[in-house]
Amino acid sequence: MLKKPLVLMVCVLMLVLALPLAASSSSAINRLVDMQQIAPNVRLEMRYASRNNFLKQAVYDKSRCLLRAPTAKRLARVQRALEKRQLGLKIFDCYRPLSVQRKMWRIFPNATYVANPRYGSRHNRGAAVDLTLVNRDGQALEMPSDFDDFSKKAHTRYAGASRQAKKHRRWLQTAMRDAGFRSLASEWWHFDDPNWKRYGLLDIRL
Ligand SMILES: [Zn+2]
């Protein structure tokens, strides 16, 4: 007779203990993490923190790569796989605050090149990344175009590049797709987390 209330008490206790756990794990999924803390060997060249971008001016004040925790973990898997081949990733852009998106739109209001801040970019969700491949010394491998080259050379199926550049582009596309990332036909350097729709637009300072 004593067993039933005891079981009930244990169940209630488990439920009470599980609630804060569930809440903290969902907020862990939603939080932005610093990519270099997840994968310290990843190299950064945050172009929008410098003038070396198509806007010709810095729109960030910090050179940091922040991503949603699951996106960062997925990207760390790519880095580990590449390191086995004496290769690595060099990142150009990660999470981009919505206020920065508005700034970019003010400078260059052309929806072909810049996502309209009214709808936001997947970068504003912390679920997209722009990157390239480097060798073990950190030197970028030849690609069909520079980052943010908005000509047809940037297209993932552009056939006019050198054999080397096409091979490197294929390596990058394969490495990212193997980890589940989705590529963009118009930009060989851009990849989306397959679950990007789960994440809302954010405006948190870098
Ligand atoms: Zn991008």
Side-chain angles (χ1 to χ4, degrees):
M1 287 297 280
L2 276 173
K3 274 186 183 169
K4 268 188 185 168
L6 188 67
V7 168
L8 193 69
M9 219 171 82
V10 169
C11 286
V12 168
L13 192 67
M14 280 170 71
L15 196 67
V16 168
L17 287 173
L19 279 174
L21 266 178
S24 71
S25 67
S26 81
S27 66
I29 284 169
N30 283 316
R31 85 175 195 274
L32 291 172
V33 296
D34 190 319
M35 189 61 211
Q36 282 198 309
Q37 285 181 4
I38 307 289
N41 292 341
V42 162
R43 292 172 195 259
L44 300 188
E45 187 183 318
M46 306 308 283
R47 291 285 189 95
Y48 297 120
S50 76
R51 296 175 68 179
N52 185 16
N53 61 62
F54 78 104
L55 300 166
K56 309 291 179 210
Q57 60 178 283
V59 288
Y60 294 165
D61 50 4
K62 277 208 184 106
S63 207
R64 284 180 87 192
C65 170
L66 300 183
L67 290 169
R68 300 284 183 167
T71 311
K73 282 185 194 153
R74 194 181 286 276
L75 197 56
R77 265 166 48 202
V78 179
Q79 174 69 16
R80 283 198 298 275
L82 289 170
E83 282 175 15
K84 289 180 188 153
R85 300 163 54 194
Q86 313 295 317
L87 297 170
L89 295 170
K90 181 163 81 170
I91 297 174
F92 298 129
D93 194 28
C94 297
Y95 163 66
R96 191 187 298 156
L98 201 53
S99 54
V100 170
Q101 194 68 36
R102 290 192 197 103
K103 197 169 170 181
M104 291 168 91
W105 184 252
R106 277 196 300 272
I107 302 167
F108 209 83
N110 183 331
T112 309
Y113 305 110
V114 178
N116 187 329
R118 191 185 297 175
Y119 314 109
S121 152
R122 289 164 199 182
H123 285 282
N124 303 141
R125 299 170 189 266
V129 65
D130 298 331
L131 38 62
T132 192
L133 289 178
V134 290
N135 64 19
R136 59 189 297 183
D137 301 320
Q139 287 170 325
L141 302 193
E142 183 193 346
M143 288 290 177
S145 77
D146 192 8
F147 167 62
D148 270 0
D149 176 325
F150 295 117
S151 72
K152 62 183 181 182
K153 290 179 185 173
H155 296 180
T156 48
R157 287 174 176 265
Y158 173 64
S162 71
R163 276 179 63 182
Q164 281 289 94
K166 284 192 281 189
K167 183 175 74 180
H168 298 154
R169 181 181 63 194
R170 192 172 64 246
W171 286 355
L172 177 65
Q173 297 287 322
T174 306
M176 293 295 283
R177 284 192 202 135
D178 281 353
F181 282 97
R182 297 200 181 136
S183 60
L184 196 65
S186 56
E187 299 175 6
W188 61 258
W189 56 81
H190 176 102
F191 296 89
D192 293 315
D193 186 300
N195 302 314
W196 66 267
K197 282 185 187 161
R198 285 186 196 166
Y199 308 115
L201 302 170
L202 289 174
D203 199 10
I204 297 166
R205 279 177 72 96
L206 288 173

